[in-house]
Amino acid sequence: MPLIVGGRTFGTLNFSSPEARRPFTEMDVEVIKLFAAWVSQQLSIDEALSEAGLA
């Protein structure tokens, strides 16, 4: 799942397992999207604080 910060791809979140498992359900994918959005928002906040000299 891509992490978007400031309109650009900052990195990705990868959810994997060393063992075989069932494919992600639609609900799994929605939770992963929400998690990626939250992480992206936190990275954006950190970036803004850093640019403002506050971090």
Side-chain angles (χ1 to χ4, degrees):
M1 189 62 56
L3 298 173
I4 308 299
V5 178
R8 68 186 196 292
T9 301
F10 182 85
T12 60
L13 288 180
N14 178 26
F15 294 87
S16 59
S17 173
E19 298 172 15
R21 69 179 297 276
R22 63 175 172 70
F24 290 121
T25 65
E26 287 184 36
M27 181 65 77
D28 293 335
V29 172
E30 289 305 311
V31 170
I32 292 168
K33 286 179 182 179
L34 288 170
F35 187 63
W38 173 69
V39 172
S40 294
Q41 182 180 30
Q42 289 305 123
L43 290 169
S44 294
I45 290 169
D46 288 349
E47 186 176 75
L49 289 173
S50 180
E51 288 176 0
L54 301 172

